[in-house]
Amino acid sequence: MAYALRKLGLFVLTLWAAITLNFLLPRLMPGSPTDAAIAKLSQNGPVTQATRDAIEAQLGVPGGNLWDQYVAYLHQVVTFDFGVSYTFYPQSVGELIGQAFPYTIMLVGIVTIVAFVLGTLTGVLAAWKRNTWLDSLPTLTGTFASTFPYFWTALLLLFFLGYVLHWFPTSGAYGPTATPAFSWDFMVDAAYHAVLPAVTILITSVGGWILGMRNAMINTIGDDYVTFAQANGLKGRTVAMKYAARNAILPNLTGFGLALGGVVGGSILVEQVFGYPGIGFLLFNAVIGQDYPLMQALFLLITVSVLVANFLVDILYGVLDPRTRR
């Protein structure tokens, strides 16, 4: 309990710091949405102060000094009300996030879990069968695949499987005639559109899990307790999974916590290449449009998800390895 309370206190302190930075960073950026709107209007003639005031009132641009804005922002955080989006006016920030959130969770979340499980199990097998083809094949393949950046792999798949072979759609999360609903036809159509983005993320991420687990597993195999378990005549699968892998998985578990927390942010470049309407795609448009309310809500959502994931991993660490509770 004392260990969990320490971690909870650190989580609360870090969350407050993140919320404060989330408030300050967008305001340190040059320009404002009002300036962008006025720049467009000024092409047709001079813009008066009254017009500027009307634009600020319409967009809901925060007024007052920095402290007043900070207090109002904290109230927004507590009430989960981040106002109206400047870029997608008059849609609210909550409505936009609610529309994009399921696509990112279904795409990046599921693929991250699959990549972690597949890479971890393959890394265990490669380490246990080291110096055989079961070691060299996944190691070399994972190393080769992980060297390609997200956007390059996405462009290659998009060109060959989308434009050349026409096997998969080239953009969007569903077809132009489909209507979002909890129906079998829509889910199949959405899964079909998610194949290329999902394969891109899987190819570029699974190699890291394989190599990380293999290296940690090899270091663990040489420990005395593993040798003792083998000397007692236990099955190789039992020794590998219950003795060696349980301790070797701790570094990979830390990485999984970070990756799982980053799911909410989505893969911005992948979603941008495929025009996939997830959180990453929404964040890109918010930054381009200097959309303060939308940026603040998305940054806060990403930050909280990372902090919560790390908090849960810390608690799980204490369960798997009691030495960390000291």
Side-chain angles (χ1 to χ4, degrees):
M1 181 61 70
Y3 171 79
L5 290 176
R6 288 200 307 268
K7 292 299 180 180
L8 181 60
L10 181 61
F11 167 78
V12 173
L13 181 62
T14 308
L15 179 61
W16 170 79
I19 289 175
T20 303
L21 285 176
N22 187 43
F23 166 78
L24 293 174
L25 288 178
R27 286 163 174 77
L28 296 177
M29 295 175 59
S32 69
T34 305
D35 295 333
I38 290 177
K40 296 179 182 179
L41 291 176
S42 62
Q43 297 176 358
N44 300 322
V47 178
T48 63
Q49 183 61 38
T51 303
R52 183 183 184 91
D53 295 340
I55 293 174
E56 291 180 348
Q58 184 180 31
L59 295 178
V61 176
N65 57 38
L66 196 63
W67 173 253
D68 293 336
Q69 295 181 26
Y70 182 65
V71 173
Y73 168 73
L74 291 179
H75 181 266
Q76 289 179 327
V77 171
V78 173
T79 58
F80 300 101
D81 179 16
F82 291 92
V84 178
S85 169
Y86 298 164
T87 307
F88 301 94
Y89 185 86
Q91 285 185 285
S92 66
V93 171
E95 181 183 355
L96 290 169
I97 295 178
Q99 293 172 355
F101 190 74
Y103 294 109
T104 293
I105 291 296
M106 293 300 294
L107 173 65
V108 189
I110 292 177
V111 174
T112 300
I113 295 174
V114 170
F116 171 75
V117 174
L118 180 62
T120 299
L121 293 178
T122 305
V124 171
L125 178 64
W128 196 251
K129 301 292 184 180
R130 61 190 182 283
N131 300 324
T132 67
W133 69 271
L134 289 173
D135 177 22
S136 58
L137 180 61
T139 301
L140 292 175
T141 304
T143 303
F144 178 76
S146 61
T147 57
F148 290 96
Y150 280 110
F151 71 91
W152 180 248
T153 305
L155 290 174
L156 287 177
L157 294 177
L158 182 65
F159 178 74
F160 287 107
L161 300 183
Y163 287 104
V164 176
L165 299 176
H166 302 287
W167 287 357
F168 298 100
T170 57
S171 65
Y174 50 87
T177 59
T179 302
F182 288 103
S183 63
W184 175 253
D185 292 338
F186 175 76
M187 293 177 65
V188 170
D189 186 50
Y192 181 53
H193 280 73
V195 169
L196 289 184
V199 171
T200 299
I201 299 173
L202 183 64
I203 290 175
T204 52
S205 61
V206 72
W209 299 120
I210 295 175
L211 297 176
M213 190 62 190
R214 177 189 178 275
N215 294 337
M217 185 78 173
I218 288 177
N219 293 330
T220 306
I221 288 176
D223 290 342
D224 294 337
Y225 64 89
V226 177
T227 305
F228 182 74
Q230 291 174 315
N232 284 335
L234 296 177
K235 294 181 180 180
R237 183 174 61 183
T238 302
V239 176
M241 299 302 296
K242 291 188 177 181
Y243 287 83
R246 180 178 177 180
N247 291 277
I249 200 176
L250 294 178
N252 253 29
L253 192 62
T254 302
F256 179 66
L258 294 173
L260 198 61
V263 162
V264 179
S267 297
I268 297 178
L269 293 177
V270 173
E271 292 185 0
Q272 191 65 26
V273 169
F274 291 104
Y276 198 80
I279 294 294
F281 185 78
L282 192 64
L283 179 59
F284 176 83
N285 287 282
V287 173
I288 294 298
Q290 295 180 330
D291 193 337
Y292 290 165
L294 187 55
M295 276 193 293
Q296 286 182 335
L298 290 174
F299 287 153
L300 182 62
L301 184 64
I302 295 170
T303 302
V304 171
S305 64
V306 172
L307 291 177
V308 170
N310 279 277
F311 173 72
L312 295 178
V313 168
D314 284 338
I315 299 300
L316 186 58
Y317 244 85
V319 175
L320 294 176
D321 188 359
R323 294 172 298 178
T324 59
R325 287 181 272 176
R326 299 174 183 172

